[in-house]
Coordinates of all heavy atoms in Angstrom, one line a residue:
A747 N 0.9 -1.2 0.0 CA 0.0 0.0 0.0 C 0.9 1.2 0.0 O 0.7 2.2 0.8 CB -0.9 0.0 1.2
S748 N 1.9 1.2 -0.9 CA 2.9 2.2 -0.9 C 3.1 2.9 -2.2 O 4.2 3.3 -2.6 CB 4.3 1.6 -0.4 OG 5.3 2.5 -0.3
G749 N 2.0 2.9 -3.0 CA 2.1 3.6 -4.3 C 2.2 5.1 -4.2 O 2.0 5.6 -3.1
G750 N 2.4 5.7 -5.3 CA 2.5 7.2 -5.3 C 3.8 7.8 -5.6 O 4.0 9.0 -5.7
G751 N 4.8 6.9 -5.7 CA 6.1 7.4 -6.1 C 6.9 8.2 -5.1 O 7.7 9.1 -5.4
Q752 N 6.7 7.8 -3.8 CA 7.4 8.5 -2.7 C 8.6 7.7 -2.2 O 9.6 8.3 -1.9 CB 6.4 8.9 -1.6 CG 5.4 9.8 -2.1 CD 4.4 10.2 -0.9 OE1 4.8 10.7 0.1 NE2 3.1 9.8 -1.1
Q753 N 8.4 6.4 -1.9 CA 9.5 5.6 -1.3 C 10.2 4.7 -2.4 O 11.5 4.6 -2.3 CB 8.9 4.7 -0.2 CG 8.2 5.4 0.9 CD 6.7 5.6 0.7 OE1 6.1 4.8 -0.1 NE2 6.1 6.5 1.4
I754 N 9.5 4.1 -3.2 CA 10.1 3.1 -4.2 C 11.2 3.8 -5.0 O 12.3 3.1 -5.2 CB 9.0 2.5 -5.1 CG1 8.0 1.7 -4.2 CG2 9.7 1.5 -6.1 CD1 8.6 0.7 -3.3
P755 N 11.1 5.0 -5.5 CA 12.2 5.6 -6.2 C 13.5 5.7 -5.4 O 14.6 5.5 -6.0 CB 11.7 7.0 -6.6 CG 10.2 6.9 -6.6 CD 9.9 5.9 -5.5
V756 N 13.4 6.0 -4.1 CA 14.5 6.0 -3.3 C 15.2 4.7 -3.1 O 16.4 4.5 -3.2 CB 14.2 6.6 -1.9 CG1 15.4 6.6 -0.9 CG2 13.6 8.0 -2.0
F757 N 14.3 3.7 -2.8 CA 14.8 2.3 -2.6 C 15.5 1.8 -3.9 O 16.5 1.1 -3.9 CB 13.7 1.4 -2.2 CG 13.0 1.7 -0.9 CD1 11.7 1.3 -0.7 CD2 13.7 2.4 0.0 CE1 11.1 1.7 0.5 CE2 13.1 2.8 1.2 CZ 11.8 2.4 1.5
T758 N 14.9 2.1 -5.1 CA 15.5 1.7 -6.4 C 16.9 2.3 -6.6 O 17.8 1.7 -7.0 CB 14.5 2.1 -7.5 OG1 13.3 1.4 -7.3 CG2 15.1 1.6 -8.8
A759 N 17.0 3.6 -6.2 CA 18.2 4.3 -6.4 C 19.3 3.7 -5.5 O 20.5 3.8 -5.8 CB 18.1 5.8 -6.1
L760 N 18.9 3.1 -4.4 CA 19.8 2.5 -3.4 C 20.2 1.1 -3.9 O 21.0 0.4 -3.2 CB 19.2 2.5 -2.0 CG 19.1 3.8 -1.4 CD1 18.2 3.7 -0.1 CD2 20.4 4.4 -1.0
G761 N 19.6 0.6 -5.0 CA 20.0 -0.7 -5.5 C 19.1 -1.8 -5.2 O 19.4 -3.0 -5.5
A762 N 17.9 -1.5 -4.6 CA 17.0 -2.6 -4.2 C 16.2 -3.0 -5.4 O 16.0 -2.2 -6.4 CB 16.1 -2.1 -3.1
D763 N 15.7 -4.2 -5.4 CA 14.7 -4.8 -6.4 C 13.3 -4.6 -5.8 O 13.0 -5.3 -4.9 CB 15.1 -6.2 -6.6 CG 14.1 -6.9 -7.6 OD1 13.3 -6.2 -8.2 OD2 14.3 -8.1 -7.8
C764 N 12.6 -3.6 -6.3 CA 11.3 -3.2 -5.7 C 10.1 -3.6 -6.4 O 10.0 -3.6 -7.6 CB 11.3 -1.7 -5.5 SG 12.7 -1.1 -4.5
T765 N 9.1 -4.0 -5.6 CA 7.7 -4.2 -6.1 C 6.8 -3.4 -5.2 O 7.0 -3.3 -4.0 CB 7.3 -5.7 -6.0 OG1 8.2 -6.5 -6.7 CG2 5.9 -6.0 -6.5
V766 N 5.8 -2.7 -5.9 CA 4.8 -2.0 -5.1 C 3.4 -2.5 -5.3 O 3.0 -2.8 -6.5 CB 4.9 -0.4 -5.5 CG1 4.6 -0.2 -7.0 CG2 3.9 0.4 -4.6
L767 N 2.7 -2.7 -4.2 CA 1.3 -3.2 -4.3 C 0.4 -2.1 -3.7 O 0.7 -1.6 -2.6 CB 1.2 -4.5 -3.5 CG -0.2 -5.1 -3.4 CD1 -0.1 -6.7 -3.4 CD2 -1.0 -4.6 -2.2
D768 N -0.6 -1.8 -4.5 CA -1.6 -0.8 -4.0 C -2.9 -1.1 -4.7 O -3.0 -1.7 -5.8 CB -1.1 0.6 -4.4 CG -1.6 1.6 -3.5 OD1 -2.9 1.8 -3.4 OD2 -0.8 2.3 -2.8
Y769 N -4.0 -0.8 -4.0 CA -5.3 -1.0 -4.5 C -5.8 0.2 -5.4 O -6.6 0.0 -6.3 CB -6.3 -1.2 -3.4 CG -7.7 -1.6 -3.9 CD1 -7.9 -2.9 -4.3 CD2 -8.8 -0.8 -3.8 CE1 -9.1 -3.3 -4.8 CE2 -10.0 -1.2 -4.3 CZ -10.2 -2.5 -4.7 OH -11.4 -2.9 -5.2
S770 N -5.1 1.3 -5.2 CA -5.5 2.5 -6.0 C -4.8 2.6 -7.3 O -3.6 2.6 -7.4 CB -5.1 3.8 -5.1 OG -5.2 4.9 -5.9
T771 N -5.6 2.6 -8.4 CA -5.0 2.7 -9.7 C -4.3 4.1 -9.9 O -3.4 4.2 -10.6 CB -6.1 2.5 -10.8 OG1 -7.2 3.5 -10.5 CG2 -6.7 1.1 -10.8
E772 N -4.9 5.1 -9.2 CA -4.3 6.4 -9.3 C -2.9 6.5 -8.7 O -2.0 7.0 -9.3 CB -5.2 7.4 -8.6 CG -4.9 8.9 -8.9 CD -5.0 9.3 -10.3 OE1 -6.0 8.7 -11.0 OE2 -4.2 10.1 -10.8
Q773 N -2.8 5.8 -7.6 CA -1.4 5.8 -6.9 C -0.4 5.0 -7.7 O 0.7 5.4 -7.8 CB -1.6 5.1 -5.5 CG -2.3 6.0 -4.5 CD -1.4 7.2 -4.1 OE1 -1.4 8.2 -4.8 NE2 -0.7 7.1 -3.0
L774 N -0.9 3.9 -8.3 CA 0.0 3.1 -9.2 C 0.4 3.8 -10.4 O 1.5 3.7 -10.9 CB -0.7 1.7 -9.5 CG -0.8 0.8 -8.3 CD1 -1.6 -0.5 -8.8 CD2 0.5 0.4 -7.7
K775 N -0.6 4.6 -11.0 CA -0.3 5.4 -12.2 C 0.8 6.4 -11.8 O 1.7 6.6 -12.6 CB -1.5 6.1 -12.7 CG -1.3 7.0 -13.9 CD -2.6 7.6 -14.3 CE -2.4 8.6 -15.5 NZ -3.7 9.3 -15.9
R776 N 0.7 7.1 -10.7 CA 1.7 8.0 -10.2 C 3.0 7.4 -10.0 O 4.1 7.9 -10.4 CB 1.2 8.7 -9.0 CG 2.0 10.0 -8.6 CD 1.4 10.7 -7.4 NE 0.1 11.3 -7.8 CZ -1.1 11.0 -7.1 NH1 -1.1 10.3 -6.1 NH2 -2.2 11.6 -7.5
E777 N 3.0 6.1 -9.5 CA 4.3 5.4 -9.3 C 5.0 5.2 -10.6 O 6.2 5.4 -10.8 CB 4.0 4.1 -8.6 CG 5.2 3.3 -8.2 CD 5.8 3.8 -6.9 OE1 5.0 4.1 -6.0 OE2 7.0 4.0 -6.9
E778 N 4.2 4.8 -11.7 CA 4.7 4.6 -13.0 C 5.3 5.8 -13.6 O 6.3 5.8 -14.3 CB 3.7 3.9 -13.9 CG 3.3 2.5 -13.5 CD 2.1 1.9 -14.2 OE1 1.4 2.7 -14.8 OE2 1.9 0.7 -14.2
E779 N 4.5 7.0 -13.4 CA 5.0 8.2 -13.9 C 6.3 8.7 -13.3 O 7.2 9.1 -14.1 CB 3.9 9.3 -13.7 CG 2.6 9.1 -14.5 CD 1.5 10.1 -14.0 OE1 1.7 10.7 -13.0 OE2 0.5 10.2 -14.7
V780 N 6.5 8.5 -12.0 CA 7.7 8.8 -11.4 C 8.9 7.9 -11.9 O 10.0 8.4 -12.1 CB 7.6 8.7 -9.8 CG1 8.9 8.9 -9.2 CG2 6.6 9.8 -9.3
G781 N 8.6 6.6 -12.0 CA 9.6 5.7 -12.5 C 10.0 6.1 -13.9 O 11.2 6.1 -14.2
K782 N 9.1 6.5 -14.8 CA 9.4 6.9 -16.1 C 10.3 8.1 -16.1 O 11.3 8.2 -16.9 CB 8.2 7.1 -16.9 CG 8.4 7.5 -18.4 CD 7.1 7.7 -19.1 CE 7.3 8.1 -20.6 NZ 6.1 8.3 -21.3
R783 N 10.0 9.0 -15.2 CA 10.8 10.3 -15.1 C 12.2 10.0 -14.6 O 13.2 10.6 -15.0 CB 10.1 11.2 -14.2 CG 10.7 12.6 -14.0 CD 10.0 13.3 -12.9 NE 10.4 12.8 -11.6 CZ 9.6 12.8 -10.5 NH1 8.5 13.3 -10.6 NH2 10.1 12.2 -9.4
E784 N 12.3 9.0 -13.7 CA 13.6 8.7 -13.0 C 14.4 7.7 -13.8 O 15.5 7.3 -13.5 CB 13.4 8.2 -11.6 CG 12.7 9.2 -10.7 CD 13.5 10.5 -10.5 OE1 14.8 10.3 -10.4 OE2 13.0 11.6 -10.4
G785 N 13.8 7.1 -14.9 CA 14.6 6.2 -15.8 C 14.5 4.8 -15.4 O 15.5 4.0 -15.7
Y786 N 13.5 4.3 -14.7 CA 13.3 2.9 -14.4 C 11.9 2.5 -14.5 O 11.0 3.4 -14.6 CB 13.9 2.6 -13.0 CG 13.0 3.1 -11.9 CD1 12.0 2.3 -11.3 CD2 13.2 4.3 -11.4 CE1 11.2 2.7 -10.3 CE2 12.4 4.8 -10.4 CZ 11.4 4.0 -9.8 OH 10.6 4.5 -8.8
T787 N 11.6 1.2 -14.6 CA 10.2 0.7 -14.8 C 9.8 0.0 -13.5 O 10.3 -1.1 -13.2 CB 10.1 -0.3 -15.9 OG1 10.5 0.4 -17.1 CG2 8.6 -0.7 -16.1
P788 N 9.0 0.6 -12.7 CA 8.6 0.0 -11.4 C 7.7 -1.2 -11.6 O 6.9 -1.3 -12.6 CB 7.8 1.1 -10.7 CG 7.3 1.9 -11.7 CD 8.3 1.9 -12.8
K789 N 7.8 -2.2 -10.8 CA 7.0 -3.4 -10.8 C 5.7 -3.1 -10.0 O 5.8 -3.1 -8.7 CB 7.7 -4.6 -10.3 CG 8.8 -5.1 -11.2 CD 9.4 -6.4 -10.7 CE 10.5 -6.1 -9.7 NZ 11.3 -7.2 -9.4
C790 N 4.6 -2.8 -10.6 CA 3.4 -2.4 -9.9 C 2.3 -3.5 -10.0 O 2.1 -4.1 -11.0 CB 2.8 -1.1 -10.6 SG 3.8 0.3 -10.4
V791 N 1.8 -3.8 -8.8 CA 0.7 -4.8 -8.7 C -0.5 -4.2 -8.1 O -0.4 -3.7 -7.0 CB 1.2 -6.0 -7.8 CG1 0.1 -7.0 -7.7 CG2 2.5 -6.6 -8.5
R792 N -1.6 -4.3 -8.8 CA -2.9 -3.8 -8.2 C -3.6 -5.0 -7.5 O -3.9 -6.0 -8.1 CB -3.8 -3.2 -9.2 CG -5.1 -2.6 -8.6 CD -6.0 -2.0 -9.6 NE -7.2 -1.3 -8.9 CZ -8.3 -1.9 -8.6 NH1 -8.4 -3.2 -9.0 NH2 -9.3 -1.3 -8.0
A793 N -3.7 -4.9 -6.1 CA -4.3 -5.9 -5.4 C -4.8 -5.4 -4.0 O -4.4 -4.3 -3.6 CB -3.3 -7.1 -5.1

């Protein structure tokens, strides 16, 4: 429940292999937008 592009970009920059699960399509969309901007593709799961 950590979508929105606030924590996962930091963890990814630190070298972690990240997956984000969220029920909100809006939060996951924002996560993908931040990932695109930062140059990586987040693994997003809606559940």
